């Protein structure tokens, strides 16, 4: 059997064509369309069994075909989840979150924003471990890279939070340096303001 991938339709997650070789009436082939519903292991196994029986494929090909489809589906799932995780990690950037809080007029400070980002990044770190790494050695490496990027983002956020806090602190704690009545003429250098 030769398996050829096809572009799935909007309501499909996987579409492949099975080239079954030559038969009495010429070249034999069939299409397997996998939807979100039939991607579930039990239903996928039932569908593969039906395809094998309907196309007079050797029963011994049932298990290898099922394993192949499961492998492809899992790889797709990992790719989609990794892409989502990358976007979610980028969303927890301190600078963006700080500006977002300022624009919304929320009661915020650099420490609270950084603490919230750190908590969300911790959840993403666990997601990379629990949702990606168990799909095999390749996925394990991807999960490790994601976790390193999360750790770097937490470090960058902590540094930016500290800098923001240091930049704001002096001005918030100081009294005004001077006040000025704008109806008065400024005194230029060399003048005392006293008449001789």
């Amino acid at each position: 059997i030769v398996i050829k991938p096809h572009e799935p339709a909007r309501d499909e997650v996987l579409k492949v064509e099975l080239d079954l070789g030559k038969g009495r009436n010429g070249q034999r082939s069939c299409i397997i369309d996998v939807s979100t519903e039939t991607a579930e292991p039990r239903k996928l196994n039932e569908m593969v069994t039906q395809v094998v029986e309907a196309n007079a494929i050797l029963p011994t090909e049932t298990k290898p075909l099922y394993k192949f489809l499961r492998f492809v589906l899992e790889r797709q799932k990992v790719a989609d989840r990794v892409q989502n995780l990358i976007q979610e990690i980028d969303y927890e950037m301190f600078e963006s979150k700080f500006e977002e809080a300022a624009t919304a007029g929320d009661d915020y400070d650099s420490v609270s924003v950084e603490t919230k980002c750190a908590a969300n990044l911790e959840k993403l770190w666990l997601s990379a471990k629990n949702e990606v790494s168990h799909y095999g050695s390749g996925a394990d490496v991807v999960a490790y890279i994601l976790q390193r990027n999360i750790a770097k983002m937490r470090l960058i956020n902590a540094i930016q939070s500290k800098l923001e806090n240091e930049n704001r602190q002096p001005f918030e704690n100081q009294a005004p340096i001077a006040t000025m009545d704008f109806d008065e003429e400024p005194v230029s250098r060399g003048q005392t303001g006293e008449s001789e």
Side-chain angles (χ1 to χ4, degrees):
I1 299 175
V2 178
I3 302 176
K4 302 176 182 178
H6 284 250
E7 185 69 26
R10 182 174 297 180
D11 58 342
E12 298 170 345
V13 293
L14 179 64
K15 184 173 187 175
V16 296
E17 178 184 358
L18 303 183
D19 186 344
L20 305 175
K22 292 183 179 181
R24 292 180 180 178
N25 299 320
Q27 197 70 19
R28 299 168 57 235
S29 66
C30 68
I31 298 290
I32 296 181
D33 298 317
V34 183
S35 64
T36 304
E37 183 179 352
T38 55
E40 188 268 329
R42 182 180 60 82
K43 292 184 178 180
L44 180 65
N45 188 48
E46 291 175 355
M47 184 178 65
V48 170
T49 301
Q50 292 172 2
V51 168
V52 168
E53 292 175 352
N55 293 275
I57 302 172
L58 289 173
T60 53
E61 296 291 342
T62 304
K63 191 172 183 179
L65 179 57
Y66 167 77
K67 285 186 173 182
F68 172 79
L69 295 176
R70 282 290 298 162
F71 174 82
V72 175
L73 288 169
E74 287 181 353
R75 283 293 178 265
Q76 286 185 348
K77 186 176 181 180
V78 170
D80 292 341
R81 185 57 184 133
V82 166
Q83 188 61 39
N84 290 337
L85 279 170
I86 291 172
Q87 294 174 355
E88 291 173 32
I89 293 168
D90 289 342
Y91 183 68
E92 296 303 327
M93 186 181 297
F94 171 82
E95 186 176 0
S96 299
K97 286 289 189 178
F98 194 78
E99 292 177 358
E100 184 180 300
T103 303
D106 296 336
D107 184 16
Y108 70 97
D109 57 65
S110 61
V111 176
S112 64
V113 172
E114 191 270 327
T115 300
K116 187 175 180 180
C117 288
N120 291 336
L121 287 169
E122 178 66 20
K123 293 177 182 178
L124 294 176
W125 192 93
L126 292 173
S127 293
K129 178 181 178 181
N130 298 330
E131 300 177 24
V132 178
S133 62
H134 66 278
Y135 281 105
S137 58
D140 194 53
V141 172
V142 173
Y144 173 74
I145 294 172
L146 285 171
Q147 289 175 323
R148 287 200 62 181
N149 287 339
I150 291 169
K152 288 178 182 178
M153 180 66 79
R154 289 187 64 175
L155 179 60
I156 292 170
N157 284 350
I159 293 172
Q160 289 183 328
S161 174
K162 184 178 180 181
L163 291 174
E164 181 66 31
N165 191 51
E166 290 177 351
N167 289 337
R168 292 168 63 90
Q169 193 71 23
F171 298 98
E172 292 175 351
N173 293 339
Q174 287 184 37
I177 296 175
T179 58
M180 180 175 182
D181 185 350
F182 289 93
D183 292 330
E184 296 179 354
E185 287 288 330
V187 178
S188 62
R189 288 186 177 182
Q191 292 183 332
T192 64
E194 298 178 357
S195 57
E196 295 182 0

